[in-house]
Amino acid sequence: RVECVPPSATPVVVPPAPASSKRRAEKNERKYGKQFKQRLLQILPLSHQRYVFYMDMDILIGSAVGPFLLKAVDDFEANKAAIALFREGTGINGQNDFEISSTEPKALYHGGVFLVSREATSSACLQHWSVWYTSSSGADQPQLTRSVNAGVCNVSFLHQESYAQPTNDTAGTYGTFNHFTRTGRMIGKHGMLNEHFTLAGEVLLGLDRELARCWWNVSSPLCES
């Protein structure tokens, strides 16, 4: 919804998700939305910008991203990369081991944060990654691993210690990027409790105590209508 976008940002309108049964609507809409990660270079304005940095909407920022991005771009260029990624399942900062199922390849790279350029190599990488949307599995991270293994996506690695997946054991300790995973941690998985979200609301979002106690259950004031 365009009206939910803050005035400081530029909204990008995409076609609505195809109609589906009520039972499958949420799952299908989530899958439909994910495909636009691989179409960023086509749908985003500001085409004169050389680099595009993406992160999932459920990632909260814990420190200044400027130094991180400068280092990421330097490494990207030094490695002649097509995409810059975090590794998946390293065990660092609460990062859990991620695997779709026994029939899928292990996901070695995290698809929720990445850097790409406007060059043809990045376009080819994203295009190869995008085939997950029409595949039988419907999972994007295993396909990202396939794309890297196929040699289509030359990877430059992002600074791994900057990425965190909060758990009960790491509550209150935050990295630059803190992935609360709205389909996992935000619904109480990985030992996450309301007090952990309250603390994150105060520390990461700068909310007052009252709003910090419920921010994960309320809509943006821009979207109340």
Side-chain angles (χ1 to χ4, degrees):
R1 293 171 53 188
V2 173
E3 63 270 26
C4 300
V5 178
S8 59
T10 302
V12 176
V13 180
V14 297
S20 59
S21 66
K22 185 176 181 180
R23 183 174 63 87
R24 297 183 57 84
E26 183 177 354
K27 180 179 180 180
N28 288 347
E29 287 178 3
R30 189 181 305 125
K31 177 181 177 181
Y32 177 75
K34 276 190 173 184
Q35 67 160 321
F36 290 104
K37 291 196 295 186
Q38 293 90 44
R39 295 173 59 186
L40 288 177
L41 299 181
Q42 287 75 47
I43 65 175
L44 286 182
L46 304 175
S47 60
H48 61 281
Q49 299 291 338
R50 185 175 178 184
Y51 289 97
V52 174
F53 182 72
Y54 170 89
M55 70 177 195
D56 283 351
M57 62 182 294
D58 49 9
I59 293 175
L60 304 184
I61 299 299
S63 61
V65 300
F68 170 90
L69 290 175
L70 290 173
K71 178 68 163 57
V73 168
D74 284 346
D75 291 345
F76 192 103
E77 295 181 345
N79 288 289
K80 296 181 172 57
I83 191 168
L85 298 162
F86 287 120
R87 293 180 175 87
E88 180 73 309
T90 64
I92 300 172
N93 298 339
Q95 297 163 31
N96 57 294
D97 196 6
F98 180 85
E99 190 166 3
I100 293 292
S101 72
S102 59
T103 60
E104 289 284 355
K106 186 177 177 64
L108 301 178
Y109 310 97
H110 185 70
V113 183
F114 60 85
L115 175 74
V116 289
S117 75
R118 296 280 184 180
E119 300 297 326
T121 50
S122 288
S123 295
C125 170
L126 294 177
Q127 177 63 34
H128 198 277
W129 182 11
S130 71
V131 302
W132 73 270
Y133 184 65
T134 54
S135 70
S136 58
S137 69
D140 67 319
Q141 290 202 156
Q143 177 57 41
L144 177 57
T145 296
R146 292 190 191 97
S147 298
V148 175
N149 290 345
V152 183
C153 298
N154 183 37
V155 177
S156 174
F157 289 110
L158 300 173
H159 183 248
Q160 197 69 36
E161 287 73 13
S162 298
Y163 176 70
Q165 292 181 323
T167 67
N168 183 44
D169 295 332
T170 63
T173 302
Y174 303 114
T176 302
F177 303 95
N178 304 277
H179 202 167
F180 279 79
T181 55
R182 61 194 177 99
T183 58
R185 289 163 178 80
M186 295 297 290
I187 57 175
K189 295 182 180 179
H190 307 284
M192 295 298 290
L193 303 172
N194 285 356
E195 51 260 40
H196 300 146
F197 301 134
T198 299
L199 182 61
E202 293 177 326
V203 176
L204 297 178
L205 299 178
L207 303 176
D208 60 48
R209 184 67 177 176
E210 181 178 356
L211 186 54
R213 289 173 174 169
C214 62
W215 64 269
W216 60 95
N217 285 323
V218 298
S219 299
S220 164
L222 298 174
C223 298
E224 288 180 345
S225 60

